[in-house]
Amino acid sequence: MALLSLIKVYQAYGHVPLLDHADFSVEPGERIALVGRNGAGKSTLLRIVLGEITPDDGERRAQTGLKLAAVAQEPEFGGALTIEQAVAQGLGETQALLDEYTRIAEDPNHTADELDSISQRIDAVQGWQMGAKVQAALTRLALDGSRPLAGLSGGQRKRVAIARALVAQPDLLVLDEPTNHLDLEGIQWLEDTLLAFAGSVLLVTHDRRFMDRVSTRIVELDRGNLQSYPGNYSAFRQRRAELDHAEQLANARFDKLLAQEEVWIRKGVEARRTRSVGRVARLEDMRRERAERRNRQGNVNLAIDTGNLGSKRVAELENVSKVWVAESGERITAVKDFSATILRGDKVGIVGPNGAGKTTLLKLILGQLEADSGSIKRGNGLEVAYFDQLREQLDPERTVVDTIAPGGDTIEIGGQKKHVMSYLADFLFPGARARSPVKSLSGGERNRLLLARLFARPANVLVLDEPTNDLDIETLELLEELIRDYDGTVFLVSHDREFLDNIVTQTIAWEGSGQWVEYAGGVTDWLTQQARRQATQAAAGRSGGTPAAPGAAATTSAPAAAPAASAAPKRGVKLSFKEQRELDELPDRIAKLEAEQAALNAKLADPNYYVSAGTEAAQTAARVAAIDEDLLGLLERWEGLEAKRSGAA
């Protein structure tokens, strides 16, 4: 039995429904990844699941006593709390009972009955074990429970929020972009935690490798509808590509047929004839269907103006070190004896835990900081464009248009002027949205705006600090392609392993105590080389030798295919008896083929059919294609016979 179900749910803001009578359910033990374009309504669906909003129509059903816990994109805790107190919030009423027990026990005037009463209530909810669970969660996260929340980084706050949700032991855990701000170690910890979690999970994330490892089902929210795909993201991507191709073909066939019928209606209709009346009604239905069609949202049109490529050498570092002195007087080594050469066209990934010094290393390379020791030689003519993960470059009070072209209406891209509204349309900002203030934008829209601002100026060095946060997967893949083809140099700070592996040519990784080591390839290559080195060190240690030095991405319902324009029929020739009979039978023959095709398309639209049908699915798809050809021939024959008969009348 489903833990929670949404039945024919409808939710709209404005005239376009985010959920158009959609059905959704969560079964025990499932780990569901919800995917869809920015603005498709994923957050709205999560809020309906959590019971935070009531849909305009439809029904939400949940098992009696269902326990829910959620982690928002930007967690909120409230009050001046320590980490332990924040995690303990997940215990809810149980924590209130434990606090009451502490208060009574510390009261010198308390009675034995008072203490016994509160103890029994705590026993009833297994509250004593809950306190231990908080401590266990803090230990797993390597968090100091006495440390105040104030001053924690975004990644640390996200860890605390996840721990708070887990100690509640929910039946359904809802996670909105859980990997944002987490470092690689934190993401791997979260993967292991969710795989061991006994309850169900519903999550929204852009991290494709995270979905591959964690999810058991992908649910796509597309144009108000929810479609389920069993398996992980890789399986979904393959099936989605097949469905997209089938939808494009179906729409093309439909549009071709509609165009042909529009030509026919303009030639004149003999309404007294039943078959002509039926054909007119069919055309009216097609017009309505075309008007109601919701096409998939377009893709961002990304382009970078490289400008002057500058010198071949971007930076050469030799034995560079940088030490910071904390407020407590403690000396913190951010970079120690680091050497590397960065050349034009290199795509450099910089990985390390939060607070390791990635930003410090970047500033040293680009000349924004001077080293305490060592030497740095930088190339000439460097033009740097910086993508800031905190979006501090965006003024929330300014409009989108003013952010891109302050005081003007054109920008210059690659030496050519372009109207700012046209440029913003490339980044999926329509006219009304382009005039909105930045503070009204969603997280994904702000990231797109920052990319638009970044690419509006020539640069031969791109610094991208967590550019993947809040972007939908389609935009991520386009950004990957753009950066791969970019002639300039790229420094990429990210914890998205798939994104890094698809782009970078070398990885600079933090390995503790200010040690940064350069590896060829992406994150996977670094982890592989690191594991080999550690294995070599372990083997050398066991044998008493000297340890090695540190290393230098089915078919949808398809209407009948459109008939091709037939040759002009001979006029003034009366139909023979056989031809008249054939013409009379054509509507029924077409209707039967369309009914068969609709039934087959319904099968192909069900992802589970491919699992159970095996090779039969391919035969079904072939039959659908054959019906298209048959319909095309029949429609051409129908038009030819009617034209011939009309000419004789």
Side-chain angles (χ1 to χ4, degrees):
M1 179 179 177
L3 294 176
L4 182 142
S5 298
L6 302 181
I7 304 167
K8 302 299 179 186
V9 168
Y10 183 90
Q11 184 70 35
Y13 296 101
H15 67 284
V16 178
L18 296 177
L19 295 166
D20 193 358
H21 302 97
D23 295 320
F24 176 70
S25 64
V26 181
E27 300 292 337
E30 279 195 304
R31 295 187 298 274
I32 303 170
L34 177 64
V35 300
R37 301 298 297 268
N38 288 140
K42 300 188 295 295
S43 295
T44 298
L45 178 62
L46 293 190
R47 295 185 66 193
I48 293 174
V49 166
L50 292 169
E52 295 177 355
I53 60 174
T54 302
D56 297 336
D57 195 12
E59 185 179 359
R60 175 186 181 273
R61 294 180 184 173
Q63 283 189 6
T64 303
L66 178 69
K67 187 183 292 186
L68 294 162
V71 177
Q73 286 191 45
E74 302 296 336
E76 296 181 359
F77 299 93
L81 304 175
T82 65
I83 290 177
E84 182 175 0
Q85 290 170 333
V87 172
Q89 285 180 337
L91 300 179
E93 294 182 1
T94 303
Q95 184 60 37
L97 291 174
L98 292 170
D99 291 341
E100 180 67 8
Y101 177 87
T102 301
R103 186 191 65 78
I104 294 174
E106 293 176 350
D107 183 354
N109 298 319
H110 76 267
T111 65
D113 288 342
E114 288 177 325
L115 208 58
D116 184 58
S117 175
I118 193 69
S119 296
Q120 291 179 12
R121 293 170 62 190
I122 294 173
D123 285 336
V125 295
Q126 298 181 332
W128 304 115
Q129 294 90 335
M130 293 296 185
K133 290 182 182 299
V134 172
Q135 295 302 321
L138 293 173
T139 300
R140 285 200 307 271
L141 288 166
L143 292 172
D144 179 0
S146 62
R147 186 177 175 183
L149 280 178
L152 292 185
S153 68
Q156 290 169 324
R157 291 177 67 87
K158 181 62 71 74
R159 281 179 175 242
V160 173
I162 293 170
R164 178 178 62 178
L166 289 173
V167 298
Q169 295 184 302
D171 302 307
L172 174 58
L173 177 62
V174 179
L175 305 172
D176 193 358
E177 295 289 0
T179 63
N180 278 9
H181 309 303
L182 287 183
D183 54 31
L184 289 175
E185 182 184 356
I187 292 172
Q188 291 169 347
W189 166 83
L190 181 58
E191 288 175 351
D192 294 338
T193 299
L194 294 182
L195 289 172
F197 180 60
S200 298
V201 178
L202 172 61
L203 61 93
V204 172
T205 182
H206 63 268
D207 191 320
R208 292 156 289 180
R209 196 162 297 180
F210 181 77
M211 280 191 283
D212 258 350
R213 187 170 181 217
V214 169
S215 61
T216 59
R217 179 159 65 104
I218 305 292
V219 173
E220 184 185 28
L221 177 54
D222 178 28
R223 291 164 288 181
N225 297 312
L226 291 167
Q227 183 66 52
S228 179
Y229 301 84
N232 61 12
Y233 179 74
S234 293
F236 157 76
R237 185 176 180 179
Q238 180 178 356
R239 188 57 45 77
R240 177 71 264 178
E242 294 169 357
L243 288 173
D244 282 347
H245 180 65
E247 181 179 0
Q248 291 169 7
L249 291 178
N251 286 342
R253 288 193 296 264
F254 181 92
D255 292 343
K256 184 179 179 182
L257 176 59
L258 178 58
Q260 183 69 26
E261 294 297 278
E262 292 288 2
V263 170
W264 170 78
I265 199 72
R266 286 174 175 79
K267 291 179 179 178
V269 180
E270 296 183 43
R272 67 181 183 274
R273 300 186 181 278
T274 303
R275 51 185 166 269
S276 293
V277 172
R279 191 169 177 183
V280 171
R282 171 192 173 95
L283 174 58
E284 292 297 333
D285 290 341
M286 292 177 69
R287 285 172 173 172
R288 281 192 293 271
E289 183 177 343
R290 181 62 184 87
E292 294 170 359
R293 182 195 297 171
R294 290 178 63 183
N295 292 317
R296 291 179 68 86
Q297 183 184 13
N299 284 324
V300 177
N301 185 10
L302 299 177
I304 308 177
D305 182 3
T306 310
N308 178 15
L309 287 174
S311 60
K312 185 175 181 180
R313 182 182 64 188
V314 174
E316 185 176 343
L317 296 82
E318 186 174 352
N319 298 324
V320 170
S321 295
K322 184 68 179 179
V323 177
W324 294 109
V325 180
E327 292 182 0
S328 62
E330 179 187 2
R331 293 175 61 83
I332 301 172
T333 303
V335 180
K336 182 179 180 181
D337 295 330
F338 177 66
S339 299
T341 300
I342 311 298
L343 302 177
R344 183 178 68 211
D346 285 350
K347 311 292 191 297
V348 184
I350 300 179
V351 298
N354 296 323
K358 298 187 291 293
T359 302
T360 299
L361 179 59
L362 266 174
K363 289 181 176 180
L364 287 170
I365 293 172
L366 298 175
Q368 299 172 2
L369 276 179
E370 292 301 323
D372 295 336
S373 61
S375 65
I376 305 176
K377 297 177 183 177
R378 301 181 184 90
N380 298 320
L382 299 183
E383 297 176 338
V384 182
Y386 194 93
F387 182 100
D388 172 24
Q389 66 160 317
L390 300 178
R391 310 185 190 105
E392 292 177 349
Q393 301 172 39
L394 300 179
D395 183 348
E397 300 301 325
R398 301 185 75 168
T399 65
V400 173
V401 171
D402 287 340
T403 300
I404 300 299
D409 58 4
T410 61
I411 58 174
E412 189 170 318
I413 305 291
Q416 296 183 347
K417 287 190 176 182
K418 188 171 186 177
H419 197 280
V420 65
M421 299 301 289
S422 174
Y423 180 70
L424 285 171
D426 291 342
F427 288 82
L428 306 183
F429 289 104
R433 202 61 174 152
R435 295 182 177 87
S436 301
V438 171
K439 62 184 179 183
S440 70
L441 303 182
S442 68
E445 287 175 319
R446 292 190 186 200
N447 262 19
R448 288 209 307 271
L449 177 58
L450 200 52
L451 288 174
R453 189 175 186 271
L454 184 75
F455 298 158
R457 61 196 64 183
N460 51 35
V461 177
L462 286 181
V463 180
L464 304 175
D465 190 356
E466 294 293 355
T468 65
N469 286 354
D470 302 320
L471 290 180
D472 57 47
I473 294 172
E474 287 86 350
T475 304
L476 268 184
E477 292 174 346
L478 287 171
L479 184 59
E480 283 178 0
E481 183 179 350
L482 177 73
I483 296 174
R484 281 198 301 266
D485 295 339
Y486 176 60
D487 292 330
T489 306
V490 176
F491 294 96
L492 177 59
V493 178
S494 178
H495 301 124
D496 188 323
R497 294 154 295 179
E498 187 79 8
F499 192 72
L500 285 163
D501 279 347
N502 290 343
I503 290 175
V504 302
T505 57
Q506 63 239 62
T507 298
I508 299 176
W510 182 83
E511 300 199 342
S513 303
Q515 296 283 350
W516 294 89
V517 180
E518 185 177 12
Y519 293 88
V523 170
T524 301
D525 299 302
W526 160 55
L527 292 174
T528 300
Q529 293 175 67
Q530 187 184 54
R532 288 173 180 167
R533 194 189 73 207
Q534 290 173 349
T536 301
Q537 290 176 334
R542 287 192 299 270
S543 63
T546 303
T555 49
T556 55
S557 180
S566 61
K570 295 180 180 179
R571 303 183 63 83
V573 179
K574 187 176 180 179
L575 295 182
S576 67
F577 175 80
K578 184 177 179 181
E579 287 174 327
Q580 184 63 52
R581 183 175 179 179
E582 181 184 4
L583 179 59
D584 292 340
E585 292 175 350
L586 276 175
D588 288 339
R589 292 175 64 187
I590 290 173
K592 288 179 181 178
L593 284 174
E594 287 178 332
E596 181 186 357
Q597 188 182 56
L600 295 177
N601 276 322
K603 286 184 177 181
L604 294 174
D606 181 6
N608 295 324
Y609 177 65
Y610 294 86
V611 178
S612 59
T615 57
E616 182 186 332
Q619 297 171 356
T620 302
R623 176 56 184 158
V624 169
I627 291 175
D628 275 338
E629 294 299 323
D630 292 344
L631 285 170
L632 178 62
L634 292 177
L635 287 165
E636 288 178 338
R637 181 61 173 162
W638 184 3
E639 182 177 357
L641 289 173
E642 277 216 332
K644 180 179 179 181
R645 183 196 52 75
S646 298

